[in-house]
Amino acid sequence: MALRRSIWSKTSWTRVCSAPHEAPMRLCVEPSFQHHQHLATHSAAAAAAAAAPRQHQSPELLTLRDRTGLEDLFCALQTQNSILLHKAFIEWTSVLADPSSPFHDAAVRQARELSGPSFSEILRSLDPMASEKHDVAHGLNLTPGHTQFTNAGALVDEFGVRRRHRQLLRGMQALMQARSESRHSLTTADYEVLIRCAGISVDLLAAKRFWNAMAGQGLQESRTAKTWTEFIKSRFMTEPAYYQFDRSRVAVMARDLYSNRETLPSANLKRMDNMRLSINALKMEPWNRRVDEPDEDLRRVFRRKTDFRSYRAHWIRGLYYGHEIDTELLSVSLIAFARSSSLRSMKEFIFKSYYGIHIDEQSVPGKIEISGGIDLPADSPIRPNERFLSAIVDALGSMSHIALGMKLLDFVSRRYDVPIPRETWSNLLNWTYLCASKPFKPLRRLHGDFPSTATSAADVRLVWDVMTSEPYNIAPTFEDYDIYIKTLISQRAFGRALGLIRGHILPAYENVVREHQLAVQDGVLQNGIAPSGTATQQAARLEAQTYKEYLHHHISSWFDRLLKTASANKGHREGDVMKTMIPNLVVEFGDFFHHQIQYRTAQGVVRIHRPEAFRRFEWKARWRKTLPQKKAGIHAYRVEGSDQPDFAYPLVPTMKIFEWRRQAKPRMEHLGKAPEEAKGKKKEAPHEWWDRLEDELML
């Protein structure tokens, strides 16, 4: 197997690893795309700590406190190392949650006897929203495709939620259970951390329980506007981290807008329902589903507009609580109203009531008139800021009101002299692309094809042109380039897309590759000093490899999309695109094409098998059953008992499907130590290690 890029000399690695007292040199790489990578250090203190870990001590010498894991938690708390802190907390709470453990009773006593300040410090240090270091894939939208082509599937569970966050929530729940009979009470700030843990774990029921637990502790009067805001964020998934940075999970689908008061032609409703059931049949895992009811999508929980579970009811309750209204609460309320597509409530309760902004979309069809805007002092708690601008884009973008969102964004920015940040432009571009994609665009067209919600690829290019030109001159991120390149390919502007890939994407990707190589080299050098390595270094390598796989998967998907788009066009099949451009691309970008390539020409289908190509996945055959899915409401309409909570709602029959699924090639969980040159019968062992390391660098 030949590497496509140079790696380090085996001889030099063996020499360095066999002499741990020599300090290796570190290289600094400045990636073009902003993604924080933290490589492990080679300090003598770290080496000494790794060489003599606590777990190698004799069990007879360990105190009861050591065996429960609380001492390790305190040590990690002093270092403020998020990796060690999370590991120690999970180990300690695992003992708390396991009644069969011989140290369970001791751990429970420790949890109850912890002082209030110590308990609060533990919670604040584990706050998942306080630092990006709590998630190695922070900011990355890990799709089901990533779990097939890359090793990112190990980071999420069957519901598409980060495993690390779910582990943290279970630990918090076990700790709260043990703490329930303690004489030390929790503070309001402690409950806010717990609510954030529930929100980032996508557990709406846990967020409600933490909120209600405050009343049980007599903290009703201690709830502040911040506490209420944190609860609303978790309850309606308003933060990107809460919906796992995947906007499609919270985007309003036109099928969910149907109700008995807003009827549709039966033919349109049937086609929309067929699309919904087809999507369910293609789903392999219950992503974005309720854990307690896997047959219901989380979007269905947010769609209610009027009953006690709607945000309209929450908004009224919030007013009765008497909390001070600030910009943060208004921003969160905009997004929460958008979850049920309550555009009228947004206009009346927020824009008109607090800012005097009038939005008229009815007087002239297809034309939006925005006027008003009261004067607010600079120190006003409700004065719009950058967070408010981002909330406007999030709210209106999720409802497919892109034109209104752009106009309102510009109006508020000019009226209150708030510059539009880069993140807001990127957010607007993402929402525009999502609304112009399947299944959202076809469903909107069936729902009514209204001009206010019609979005196309031309709108994506319009947003790109505005954000990258004067006076904004926004520097696009990789996610922005990803959207723009996919839009260009869909419009068959192949030349412009390839120019961006060659000029902007590949140089940045090479920097990320070097960053990953440094992380792997750092791990091998650390293992040369301490065979077990360090948790910090392992996390740094995992972060580097996750981001590298993330970029590679997206770039590879562009070329796969290009082949499909060109194959679908008769002019391309008969022209130079298939005759010269595609073969040249396979040679130039061979690392981003799969080992099996297929496309159409005027003469037929071309299939290329490349045995020399590096295989990043293998095909696996399996049987599976379709996910449970409820039928449309018409099947339960006027059925006896359908209004009762325990009504057995009719489900779609389950199908058994035989399919071929991609399975990503596994990575090395532990790098191990670089072997020295062997002699005699052991001569093959070093080569096996180097071969595995070569695969690790190629993935």
Side-chain angles (χ1 to χ4, degrees), residues 12-174:
S12 63
W13 273 37
T14 306
R15 183 180 66 254
V16 172
C17 293
S18 61
H21 60 276
E22 298 180 7
M25 297 180 62
R26 288 292 306 278
L27 300 179
C28 296
V29 177
E30 184 67 23
S32 299
F33 299 126
Q34 295 181 359
H35 186 81
H36 302 291
Q37 305 288 345
H38 307 281
L39 301 184
T41 60
H42 300 156
S43 63
R54 293 177 54 86
Q55 57 266 30
H56 293 310
Q57 297 179 11
S58 174
E60 291 78 5
L61 300 178
L62 292 175
T63 64
L64 189 61
R65 192 177 191 181
D66 290 321
R67 295 184 183 184
T68 60
L70 183 59
E71 186 67 26
D72 292 335
L73 179 59
F74 283 147
C75 292
L77 192 63
Q78 292 176 353
T79 63
Q80 290 298 309
N81 187 310
S82 60
I83 307 299
L84 299 177
L85 184 62
H86 180 271
K87 181 180 179 181
F89 179 77
I90 296 302
E91 291 177 353
W92 181 50
T93 53
S94 297
V95 178
L96 282 174
D98 184 12
S100 62
S101 173
F103 311 110
H104 172 73
D105 294 338
V108 171
R109 285 197 303 271
Q110 291 172 351
R112 293 174 180 174
E113 295 172 0
L114 271 178
S115 63
S118 298
F119 185 83
S120 299
E121 182 63 24
I122 292 175
L123 293 186
R124 283 193 294 270
S125 300
L126 291 166
D127 188 350
M129 297 296 290
S131 174
E132 298 179 0
K133 297 180 181 179
H134 291 287
D135 180 16
V136 295
H138 182 83
L140 304 184
N141 174 18
L142 302 181
T143 63
H146 283 90
T147 62
Q148 294 189 47
F149 289 96
T150 70
N151 287 267
L155 301 177
V156 296
D157 62 5
E158 66 272 20
F159 292 93
V161 182
R162 306 296 203 265
R163 295 181 186 273
R164 182 184 178 91
H165 298 328
R166 284 280 171 91
Q167 290 177 348
L168 180 62
L169 177 61
R170 288 194 293 267
M172 291 291 185
Q173 291 172 332

Side-chain angles (χ1 to χ4, degrees), residues 91-275:
E91 291 177 353
W92 181 50
T93 53
S94 297
V95 178
L96 282 174
D98 184 12
S100 62
S101 173
F103 311 110
H104 172 73
D105 294 338
V108 171
R109 285 197 303 271
Q110 291 172 351
R112 293 174 180 174
E113 295 172 0
L114 271 178
S115 63
S118 298
F119 185 83
S120 299
E121 182 63 24
I122 292 175
L123 293 186
R124 283 193 294 270
S125 300
L126 291 166
D127 188 350
M129 297 296 290
S131 174
E132 298 179 0
K133 297 180 181 179
H134 291 287
D135 180 16
V136 295
H138 182 83
L140 304 184
N141 174 18
L142 302 181
T143 63
H146 283 90
T147 62
Q148 294 189 47
F149 289 96
T150 70
N151 287 267
L155 301 177
V156 296
D157 62 5
E158 66 272 20
F159 292 93
V161 182
R162 306 296 203 265
R163 295 181 186 273
R164 182 184 178 91
H165 298 328
R166 284 280 171 91
Q167 290 177 348
L168 180 62
L169 177 61
R170 288 194 293 267
M172 291 291 185
Q173 291 172 332
L175 181 58
M176 289 296 296
Q177 179 67 26
R179 188 79 172 177
S180 59
E181 299 182 9
S182 173
R183 58 187 177 89
H184 303 287
S185 59
L186 275 68
T187 64
T188 304
D190 296 338
Y191 279 105
E192 291 173 0
V193 175
L194 295 173
I195 292 174
R196 285 193 288 270
C197 289
I200 205 169
S201 302
V202 198
D203 195 329
L204 309 184
L205 186 59
K208 294 180 183 178
R209 288 173 176 170
F210 288 141
W211 172 263
N212 294 331
M214 298 182 68
Q217 295 288 333
L219 296 176
Q220 301 97 316
E221 301 300 326
S222 300
R223 292 170 177 166
T224 63
K226 181 182 178 182
T227 311
W228 176 249
T229 303
E230 293 296 340
F231 172 68
I232 295 301
K233 288 179 180 179
S234 299
R235 172 63 178 80
F236 292 92
M237 292 170 58
T238 64
E239 300 303 298
Y242 292 177
Y243 51 79
Q244 310 298 301
F245 307 98
D246 184 0
R247 294 172 178 82
S248 65
R249 302 191 187 194
V250 293
V252 178
M253 297 189 72
R255 175 63 183 86
D256 297 333
L257 298 178
Y258 176 82
S259 65
N260 293 332
R261 292 178 297 178
E262 299 178 6
T263 58
L264 290 174
S266 58
N268 289 12
L269 181 61
K270 185 177 294 185
R271 289 182 62 188
M272 294 170 68
D273 218 47
N274 288 340
M275 293 178 64

Side-chain angles (χ1 to χ4, degrees), residues 158-159 166 202-205 208-209 276 280 283 285-301 304 309 627-631 644-651:
E158 66 272 20
F159 292 93
R166 284 280 171 91
V202 198
D203 195 329
L204 309 184
L205 186 59
K208 294 180 183 178
R209 288 173 176 170
R276 177 177 68 92
N280 178 75
K283 273 192 172 184
E285 294 178 331
W287 282 40
N288 206 42
R289 300 287 183 92
R290 293 177 56 178
V291 178
D292 54 335
E293 295 185 28
D295 55 3
E296 185 173 11
D297 194 283
L298 286 175
R299 278 184 288 251
R300 303 283 294 179
V301 180
R304 301 175 178 89
R309 291 164 291 189
L627 299 175
Q629 181 69 70
K630 293 180 179 179
K631 291 185 177 181
Q644 300 300 320
D646 57 347
F647 174 69
Y649 205 91
L651 299 176

Side-chain angles (χ1 to χ4, degrees), residues 242-528:
Y242 292 177
Y243 51 79
Q244 310 298 301
F245 307 98
D246 184 0
R247 294 172 178 82
S248 65
R249 302 191 187 194
V250 293
V252 178
M253 297 189 72
R255 175 63 183 86
D256 297 333
L257 298 178
Y258 176 82
S259 65
N260 293 332
R261 292 178 297 178
E262 299 178 6
T263 58
L264 290 174
S266 58
N268 289 12
L269 181 61
K270 185 177 294 185
R271 289 182 62 188
M272 294 170 68
D273 218 47
N274 288 340
M275 293 178 64
R276 177 177 68 92
L277 298 179
S278 298
I279 294 173
N280 178 75
L282 294 174
K283 273 192 172 184
M284 302 177 186
E285 294 178 331
W287 282 40
N288 206 42
R289 300 287 183 92
R290 293 177 56 178
V291 178
D292 54 335
E293 295 185 28
D295 55 3
E296 185 173 11
D297 194 283
L298 286 175
R299 278 184 288 251
R300 303 283 294 179
V301 180
F302 305 138
R303 68 188 290 262
R304 301 175 178 89
K305 293 186 177 182
T306 55
D307 66 0
F308 70 96
R309 291 164 291 189
S310 66
Y311 185 68
R312 182 187 179 95
H314 283 74
W315 171 263
I316 296 174
R317 282 194 290 270
L319 295 179
Y320 277 108
Y321 287 151
H323 299 315
E324 181 182 0
I325 302 296
D326 57 7
T327 308
E328 179 67 15
L329 179 56
L330 292 177
S331 301
V332 172
S333 298
L334 278 177
I335 304 174
F337 274 126
R339 293 291 177 261
S340 59
S341 195
S342 302
L343 181 59
R344 182 177 179 181
S345 298
M346 295 164 57
K347 293 178 180 179
E348 297 293 330
F349 294 158
I350 297 180
F351 288 112
K352 184 178 180 180
S353 299
Y354 286 91
Y355 299 103
I357 297 177
H358 300 271
I359 304 173
D360 185 10
E361 299 181 89
Q362 305 296 331
S363 58
V364 181
K367 188 176 181 180
I368 303 171
E369 296 291 341
I370 302 177
S371 59
I374 61 176
D375 295 329
L376 293 172
D379 58 348
S380 173
I382 64 170
R383 184 177 178 84
N385 52 20
E386 294 182 355
R387 165 63 170 150
F388 189 77
L389 297 182
S390 180
I392 292 175
V393 173
D394 268 324
L396 297 175
S398 64
M399 298 188 299
S400 297
H401 287 273
I402 301 299
L404 176 59
M406 287 190 66
K407 196 155 189 176
L408 191 58
L409 175 67
D410 181 71
F411 179 85
V412 175
S413 174
R414 295 177 183 274
R415 179 64 181 83
Y416 295 100
D417 194 23
V418 182
I420 304 176
R422 182 197 60 78
E423 293 78 8
T424 302
W425 279 114
S426 179
N427 202 15
L428 178 61
L429 183 69
N430 275 269
W431 280 118
T432 307
Y433 176 79
L434 182 70
C435 296
S437 306
K438 297 178 181 179
F440 300 98
K441 182 179 179 180
L443 286 174
R444 284 284 179 180
R445 187 176 299 164
L446 289 172
H447 185 257
D449 198 15
F450 302 107
S452 59
T453 57
T455 311
S456 64
D459 298 318
V460 179
R461 298 187 66 170
L462 175 62
V463 174
W464 173 274
D465 293 338
V466 172
M467 64 183 282
T468 56
S469 59
E470 293 289 346
Y472 304 107
N473 294 325
I474 301 298
T477 62
F478 176 81
E479 287 73 17
D480 300 335
Y481 277 115
D482 174 51
I483 289 174
Y484 188 53
I485 290 174
K486 287 189 292 188
T487 303
L488 292 175
I489 293 175
S490 66
Q491 294 185 325
R492 296 193 292 275
F494 300 147
R496 191 169 182 179
L498 293 173
L500 290 175
I501 294 175
R502 294 188 181 101
H504 295 83
I505 303 301
L506 287 186
Y509 175 73
E510 290 299 326
N511 288 337
V512 174
V513 170
R514 286 192 291 270
E515 188 82 13
H516 174 247
Q517 291 177 350
L518 279 175
V520 174
Q521 181 182 11
D522 202 42
V524 175
L525 293 176
Q526 285 278 10
N527 292 336

